[in-house]
Amino acid sequence: MQRNGPDRRALETPRAAGPAGVVFALLLAATIVLLRLGIPEGTDAAGAEGFTDSTRRDAVRAAPALIPFAGIFFLWFLGALRAHVGDVEDRFLATVLLGSGLVFTATLFGAAASATAVPAVAHPAGSAPSLTTWDFGRHFAYTLLMDYAMRMAAVFVSSMSVIGTRMGVLPRWLTAVGAVTALLLLFVSSHVPWAELVFPAWSLLLSVHILLVGGRRRRVTPA
């Protein structure tokens, strides 16, 4: 009985990676869409005046509210991924995976805070922020999210793909998708709008794969 207990926990722990990854992917995708719609790229005065639209203000307020939950589920997803890899993980790659995931989470929080500052400076309530404030807040939020957070996400994806290849815990087609995703996040996301959505898409794909693999293991393993 004592020998079966740890084996059962070792099989059940990675199951958390699937649901946590799915929730994180959906929350991050929703956050990116809301930020793109609420703070469109552009530095002209018309863009700042358009912020008086209540729908845009609500989008900007909703996006930062989702970030803490996205960060929580991402950290759970990160821990469950390491459990999925198990004791055979490479220490160097595992350190890169963990470090890039933590930096990504911190940068994501910073982008949310800077996005929150845009509606906070509108006085009186509902009025458009000044062009200088609008331009600074927009540029700061997009730089943190598209340049820094997405590049850390590229490191996270690439390290996980290498771990999946070397340790045999991911199929080749999924590691190939991860390599393409990392290249897009590293070189394209900061220049092509909406390209950053490939990261939540990859997270969702990886989570679904882990859920399917876990389901097959539970059917094969006797009670």
Side-chain angles (χ1 to χ4, degrees), residues 114-182:
S114 60
T116 305
V118 175
V121 298
H123 300 288
S127 64
S130 65
L131 179 58
T132 302
T133 302
W134 168 267
D135 189 34
F136 174 78
R138 178 201 61 82
H139 181 74
F140 190 43
Y142 273 102
T143 299
L144 284 175
L145 181 61
M146 308 309 170
D147 290 350
Y148 294 98
M150 289 303 126
R151 281 177 170 80
M152 285 297 99
V155 177
F156 179 83
V157 174
S158 60
S159 58
M160 184 61 203
S161 298
V162 175
I163 290 175
T165 301
R166 294 184 59 179
M167 309 305 171
V169 296
L170 295 178
R172 290 186 176 181
W173 67 266
L174 188 53
T175 58
V177 172
V180 174
T181 301

XYZ file of all heavy atoms in Angstrom, residues 114-182:
507
model
N 0.610 49.497 -15.859
C 0.745 50.665 -16.719
C -0.528 50.916 -17.519
O -0.895 52.068 -17.772
C 1.931 50.473 -17.669
O 1.752 49.326 -18.477
N -1.224 49.849 -17.914
C -2.492 50.033 -18.620
C -3.549 50.639 -17.709
O -4.388 51.429 -18.152
C -2.978 48.694 -19.176
N -3.513 50.285 -16.435
C -4.467 50.849 -15.477
C -4.249 52.338 -15.291
O -5.199 53.088 -15.006
C -4.329 50.130 -14.131
O -4.470 48.719 -14.322
C -5.399 50.599 -13.154
N -3.015 52.792 -15.465
C -2.710 54.205 -15.261
C -3.362 55.101 -16.303
O -3.585 56.286 -16.055
C -1.200 54.425 -15.283
N -3.678 54.551 -17.489
C -4.253 55.383 -18.549
C -5.622 55.931 -18.165
O -5.847 57.142 -18.212
C -4.315 54.602 -19.880
C -5.016 55.417 -20.954
C -2.912 54.237 -20.330
N -6.598 55.107 -17.750
C -7.877 55.700 -17.344
C -7.805 56.435 -16.015
O -8.641 57.284 -15.722
C -8.806 54.481 -17.242
C -7.902 53.342 -16.960
C -6.642 53.637 -17.707
N -6.803 56.132 -15.186
C -6.724 56.752 -13.866
C -6.371 58.225 -13.939
O -6.644 58.972 -12.997
C -5.704 56.019 -13.003
N -5.762 58.673 -15.037
C -5.329 60.067 -15.130
C -6.366 60.953 -15.789
O -6.110 62.143 -15.982
C -4.001 60.165 -15.906
C -2.899 59.421 -15.179
C -4.163 59.639 -17.326
N -7.503 60.400 -16.181
C -8.538 61.204 -16.824
C -9.301 61.996 -15.762
O -9.923 61.425 -14.876
C -9.502 60.309 -17.602
N -9.249 63.308 -15.829
C -9.945 64.188 -14.885
C -10.623 65.314 -15.668
O -9.982 65.982 -16.471
C -8.976 64.784 -13.871
C -8.268 63.767 -13.037
N -8.871 63.031 -12.050
C -6.975 63.356 -13.066
C -7.982 62.219 -11.487
N -6.837 62.396 -12.091
N -11.902 65.542 -15.420
C -12.792 64.784 -14.544
C -13.102 63.404 -15.105
O -12.671 63.082 -16.200
C -14.037 65.660 -14.473
C -14.042 66.375 -15.779
C -12.597 66.651 -16.105
N -13.830 62.626 -14.337
C -14.130 61.249 -14.721
C -14.814 61.202 -16.079
O -15.761 61.940 -16.348
C -15.023 60.596 -13.660
N -14.303 60.355 -16.933
C -14.868 60.199 -18.264
C -14.234 61.078 -19.312
O -14.512 60.914 -20.493
N -13.385 62.014 -18.923
C -12.741 62.880 -19.907
C -11.514 62.182 -20.479
O -10.992 61.227 -19.912
C -12.318 64.200 -19.249
O -11.348 63.960 -18.256
N -11.055 62.647 -21.630
C -9.907 62.036 -22.291
C -8.619 62.463 -21.605
O -8.471 63.618 -21.196
C -9.870 62.453 -23.760
N -7.657 61.551 -21.449
C -6.362 61.936 -20.906
C -5.623 62.830 -21.894
O -5.924 62.845 -23.081
C -5.648 60.593 -20.715
C -6.295 59.679 -21.691
C -7.719 60.116 -21.780
N -4.670 63.573 -21.396
C -3.886 64.422 -22.283
C -3.115 63.556 -23.275
O -2.857 62.374 -23.039
C -2.918 65.282 -21.468
O -1.966 64.461 -20.818
N -2.731 64.159 -24.396
C -2.032 63.408 -25.425
C -0.709 62.854 -24.898
O -0.338 61.718 -25.204
C -1.781 64.305 -26.637
C -1.033 63.650 -27.810
C -1.785 62.429 -28.307
C -0.809 64.654 -28.933
N -0.008 63.631 -24.075
C 1.266 63.165 -23.528
C 1.064 61.962 -22.620
O 1.793 60.954 -22.715
C 1.951 64.298 -22.748
O 2.150 65.415 -23.619
C 3.279 63.836 -22.199
N 0.061 62.033 -21.737
C -0.223 60.921 -20.836
C -0.687 59.695 -21.603
O -0.268 58.565 -21.323
C -1.294 61.330 -19.818
O -0.838 62.483 -19.100
C -1.570 60.209 -18.840
N -1.554 59.928 -22.586
C -2.044 58.827 -23.409
C -0.895 58.130 -24.122
O -0.789 56.903 -24.119
C -3.055 59.357 -24.422
C -3.417 58.390 -25.501
C -2.854 58.258 -26.732
C -4.447 57.401 -25.443
N -3.453 57.261 -27.451
C -4.445 56.715 -26.677
C -5.368 57.025 -24.463
C -5.330 55.692 -26.965
C -6.254 56.000 -24.752
C -6.226 55.340 -25.987
N -0.019 58.905 -24.732
C 1.080 58.332 -25.506
C 2.041 57.569 -24.601
O 2.502 56.472 -24.933
C 1.810 59.433 -26.259
C 2.825 58.881 -27.253
O 2.558 57.799 -27.822
O 3.877 59.507 -27.453
N 2.356 58.138 -23.428
C 3.274 57.460 -22.514
C 2.687 56.153 -21.992
O 3.348 55.112 -21.998
C 3.621 58.372 -21.339
C 4.444 57.691 -20.274
C 5.801 57.498 -20.444
C 3.842 57.226 -19.103
C 6.560 56.850 -19.471
C 4.589 56.589 -18.128
C 5.950 56.398 -18.313
N 1.431 56.208 -21.516
C 0.803 55.004 -20.976
C 0.654 53.913 -22.011
O 0.926 52.739 -21.739
N 0.232 54.292 -23.226
C 0.067 53.310 -24.298
C 1.396 52.683 -24.669
O 1.532 51.460 -24.776
C -0.556 53.982 -25.523
C -0.735 53.051 -26.721
C -0.850 53.853 -27.995
N 0.359 54.628 -28.225
C 1.460 54.137 -28.784
N 1.511 52.876 -29.131
N 2.517 54.902 -28.968
N 2.412 53.536 -24.852
C 3.725 53.029 -25.267
C 4.340 52.150 -24.181
O 4.921 51.091 -24.481
C 4.643 54.197 -25.590
C 6.006 53.772 -26.054
N 6.231 53.240 -27.305
C 7.215 53.775 -25.423
C 7.516 52.947 -27.431
N 8.125 53.255 -26.309
N 4.203 52.554 -22.926
C 4.780 51.783 -21.825
C 4.113 50.417 -21.703
O 4.772 49.390 -21.530
C 4.646 52.578 -20.527
C 5.419 52.001 -19.373
C 6.710 51.541 -19.549
C 4.858 51.932 -18.107
C 7.431 51.018 -18.489
C 5.570 51.415 -17.039
C 6.870 50.951 -17.237
N 2.769 50.393 -21.785
C 2.044 49.129 -21.657
C 2.392 48.179 -22.796
O 2.651 46.986 -22.574
C 0.539 49.396 -21.622
N 2.409 48.713 -24.012
C 2.697 47.851 -25.157
C 4.152 47.390 -25.161
O 4.453 46.263 -25.586
C 2.369 48.583 -26.466
C 0.934 48.423 -26.882
C 0.008 49.452 -26.677
C 0.494 47.255 -27.481
C -1.307 49.301 -27.050
C -0.832 47.106 -27.851
C -1.728 48.127 -27.646
O -3.037 47.972 -28.006
N 5.066 48.224 -24.700
C 6.468 47.813 -24.655
C 6.665 46.674 -23.660
O 7.349 45.680 -23.957
C 7.364 48.998 -24.279
O 7.235 50.021 -25.271
C 8.820 48.568 -24.200
N 6.064 46.782 -22.487
C 6.180 45.723 -21.499
C 5.557 44.429 -21.987
O 6.141 43.342 -21.822
C 5.521 46.147 -20.186
C 6.284 47.142 -19.309
C 5.431 47.543 -18.112
C 7.598 46.541 -18.832
N 4.377 44.529 -22.600
C 3.649 43.326 -22.995
C 4.221 42.701 -24.257
O 4.517 41.498 -24.290
C 2.168 43.651 -23.194
C 1.275 42.473 -23.587
C 1.297 41.401 -22.506
C -0.156 42.939 -23.836
N 4.402 43.512 -25.310
C 4.785 42.966 -26.615
C 6.287 42.729 -26.744
O 6.702 41.774 -27.415
C 4.305 43.901 -27.735
C 2.847 44.271 -27.653
S 1.759 42.808 -27.472
C 0.202 43.601 -27.108
N 7.093 43.573 -26.131
C 8.540 43.425 -26.285
C 9.147 42.517 -25.223
O 9.854 41.561 -25.544
C 9.217 44.798 -26.232
C 8.904 45.632 -27.466
O 8.340 45.073 -28.421
O 9.218 46.830 -27.479
N 8.857 42.797 -23.959
C 9.531 42.082 -22.882
C 8.793 40.812 -22.471
O 9.398 39.733 -22.384
C 9.732 43.008 -21.685
C 10.683 44.139 -21.985
C 10.221 45.403 -22.346
C 12.061 43.944 -21.937
C 11.097 46.433 -22.642
C 12.943 44.969 -22.231
C 12.455 46.213 -22.581
O 13.332 47.225 -22.884
N 7.499 40.923 -22.180
C 6.760 39.738 -21.731
C 6.737 38.655 -22.806
O 6.943 37.469 -22.516
C 5.331 40.124 -21.344
N 6.531 39.048 -24.064
C 6.452 38.055 -25.121
C 7.813 37.434 -25.432
O 7.894 36.282 -25.858
C 5.841 38.677 -26.377
C 4.366 38.976 -26.237
S 3.400 37.491 -25.803
C 2.528 38.051 -24.339
N 8.879 38.169 -25.225
C 10.202 37.569 -25.415
C 10.525 36.584 -24.298
O 11.167 35.562 -24.532
C 11.261 38.665 -25.529
C 11.282 39.299 -26.916
C 12.267 40.443 -27.025
N 12.431 40.870 -28.400
C 11.596 41.673 -29.062
N 10.517 42.122 -28.431
N 11.806 42.006 -30.319
N 10.096 36.881 -23.085
C 10.244 35.894 -22.021
C 9.360 34.683 -22.282
O 9.730 33.542 -21.983
C 9.882 36.517 -20.661
C 10.933 37.457 -20.109
S 12.516 36.611 -19.758
C 13.461 37.049 -21.226
N 8.194 34.922 -22.863
C 7.345 33.803 -23.247
C 8.022 32.950 -24.322
O 7.885 31.720 -24.323
C 5.993 34.313 -23.755
N 8.766 33.590 -25.226
C 9.497 32.841 -26.251
C 10.548 31.940 -25.623
O 10.722 30.781 -26.036
C 10.151 33.815 -27.233
N 11.258 32.456 -24.611
C 12.242 31.627 -23.908
C 11.544 30.468 -23.199
O 12.033 29.328 -23.195
C 13.040 32.481 -22.907
C 14.010 31.625 -22.114
C 13.784 33.585 -23.636
N 10.400 30.739 -22.588
C 9.643 29.704 -21.898
C 9.208 28.609 -22.867
O 9.370 27.408 -22.595
C 8.420 30.337 -21.223
C 7.536 29.367 -20.503
C 7.835 28.960 -19.215
C 6.395 28.859 -21.107
C 7.019 28.062 -18.543
C 5.581 27.965 -20.448
C 5.890 27.559 -19.163
N 8.674 29.006 -24.014
C 8.194 28.034 -24.996
C 9.354 27.215 -25.562
O 9.263 25.984 -25.694
C 7.433 28.746 -26.124
C 7.054 27.754 -27.224
C 6.178 29.418 -25.580
N 10.445 27.893 -25.905
C 11.578 27.187 -26.499
C 12.213 26.204 -25.516
O 12.562 25.080 -25.886
C 12.629 28.180 -26.996
O 13.106 28.985 -25.924
N 12.361 26.608 -24.252
C 12.945 25.698 -23.264
C 12.037 24.498 -23.020
O 12.515 23.366 -22.886
C 13.210 26.448 -21.955
O 12.014 27.020 -21.449
N 10.726 24.718 -22.988
C 9.808 23.601 -22.814
C 9.848 22.676 -24.015
O 9.759 21.438 -23.877
C 8.381 24.126 -22.584
C 7.365 23.023 -22.283
S 7.789 22.110 -20.765
C 6.931 20.575 -21.046
N 10.004 23.233 -25.203
C 10.072 22.407 -26.403
C 11.343 21.566 -26.413
O 11.315 20.392 -26.799
C 10.016 23.298 -27.650
O 8.790 24.011 -27.709
N 12.464 22.168 -25.982
C 13.712 21.402 -25.923
C 13.615 20.299 -24.877
O 14.070 19.161 -25.098
C 14.902 22.335 -25.627
C 16.179 21.530 -25.432
C 15.085 23.337 -26.754
N 13.022 20.614 -23.737
C 12.816 19.587 -22.708
C 11.943 18.466 -23.247
O 12.219 17.274 -23.052
C 12.187 20.211 -21.453
C 13.192 21.124 -20.741
C 11.713 19.122 -20.490
C 12.614 21.882 -19.565
N 10.886 18.837 -23.954
C 9.998 17.827 -24.513
C 10.687 16.932 -25.511
O 10.404 15.725 -25.584
N 11.630 17.504 -26.281
C 12.360 16.711 -27.270
C 13.396 15.811 -26.614
O 13.477 14.605 -26.899
C 13.045 17.631 -28.289
O 12.055 18.441 -28.939
C 13.800 16.821 -29.328
N 14.192 16.380 -25.721
C 15.283 15.615 -25.113
C 14.790 14.548 -24.157
O 15.380 13.459 -24.074
C 16.232 16.564 -24.395
C 16.976 17.521 -25.313
C 17.968 18.371 -24.553
N 18.964 17.563 -23.863
C 19.969 18.055 -23.133
N 20.101 19.376 -23.014
N 20.823 17.263 -22.531
N 13.729 14.845 -23.429
C 13.232 13.888 -22.446
C 12.116 13.002 -22.991
O 11.673 12.079 -22.316
C 12.710 14.638 -21.197
C 13.703 15.626 -20.637
S 15.299 14.866 -20.258
C 16.289 16.311 -19.902
N 11.661 13.291 -24.200
C 10.623 12.471 -24.798
C 9.263 12.604 -24.164
O 8.439 11.685 -24.269
N 8.984 13.741 -23.501
C 7.692 13.914 -22.833
C 6.670 14.620 -23.716
O 5.508 14.735 -23.333
C 7.870 14.692 -21.512
C 8.712 13.900 -20.531
C 8.500 16.062 -21.768
N 7.094 15.102 -24.902
C 6.187 15.753 -25.838
C 6.382 15.134 -27.217
O 7.501 14.769 -27.585
C 6.446 17.264 -25.913
C 6.176 18.092 -24.651
C 6.527 19.553 -24.900
C 4.738 17.960 -24.191
N 5.335 15.039 -28.012
C 5.485 14.524 -29.375
C 6.243 15.520 -30.253
O 6.307 16.718 -29.957
C 4.037 14.356 -29.846
C 3.247 15.309 -29.016
C 3.926 15.347 -27.678
N 6.795 15.015 -31.334
C 7.622 15.861 -32.193
C 6.825 16.991 -32.833
O 7.337 18.096 -32.989
C 8.286 15.000 -33.275
C 9.364 14.063 -32.743
C 10.067 13.357 -33.877
N 11.161 12.525 -33.379
C 11.959 11.808 -34.156
N 11.788 11.815 -35.478
N 12.931 11.077 -33.628
N 5.589 16.716 -33.201
C 4.801 17.767 -33.843
C 4.540 18.922 -32.882
O 4.523 20.092 -33.300
C 3.479 17.198 -34.357
C 2.527 16.744 -33.287
C 2.391 15.490 -32.782
C 1.559 17.550 -32.592
N 1.416 15.455 -31.807
C 0.882 16.698 -31.684
C 1.197 18.894 -32.673
C -0.116 17.157 -30.847
C 0.196 19.352 -31.832
C -0.454 18.493 -30.931
N 4.385 18.624 -31.590
C 4.139 19.683 -30.622
C 5.413 20.480 -30.343
O 5.351 21.701 -30.146
C 3.589 19.082 -29.324
C 3.088 20.072 -28.266
C 2.078 21.036 -28.860
C 2.466 19.321 -27.090
N 6.560 19.826 -30.335
C 7.816 20.561 -30.166
C 8.090 21.434 -31.387
O 8.658 22.524 -31.261
C 8.982 19.587 -29.933
O 9.085 18.679 -31.029
C 8.778 18.811 -28.650
N 7.695 20.966 -32.573
C 7.855 21.786 -33.779
C 6.955 23.018 -33.724
O 7.375 24.131 -34.075
C 7.537 20.960 -35.028
N 5.732 22.828 -33.257
C 4.834 23.976 -33.080
C 5.407 24.949 -32.061
O 5.331 26.174 -32.222
C 3.433 23.488 -32.646
C 2.546 24.673 -32.258
C 2.781 22.700 -33.770
N 6.022 24.410 -30.994
C 6.649 25.270 -29.996
C 7.797 26.072 -30.568
O 7.967 27.252 -30.228
N 8.598 25.468 -31.443
C 9.714 26.188 -32.054
C 9.212 27.336 -32.919
O 9.755 28.453 -32.880
C 10.557 25.225 -32.887
N 8.175 27.091 -33.692
C 7.597 28.158 -34.531
C 7.006 29.256 -33.649
O 7.168 30.456 -33.922
C 6.532 27.569 -35.470
C 5.827 28.684 -36.247
C 7.164 26.581 -36.446
N 6.325 28.865 -32.590
C 5.741 29.839 -31.668
C 6.813 30.713 -31.038
O 6.650 31.940 -30.929
C 4.951 29.113 -30.568
O 3.916 28.326 -31.160
C 4.339 30.110 -29.592
N 7.917 30.099 -30.616
C 9.004 30.868 -30.005
C 9.592 31.871 -30.986
O 9.884 33.017 -30.617
C 10.087 29.911 -29.505
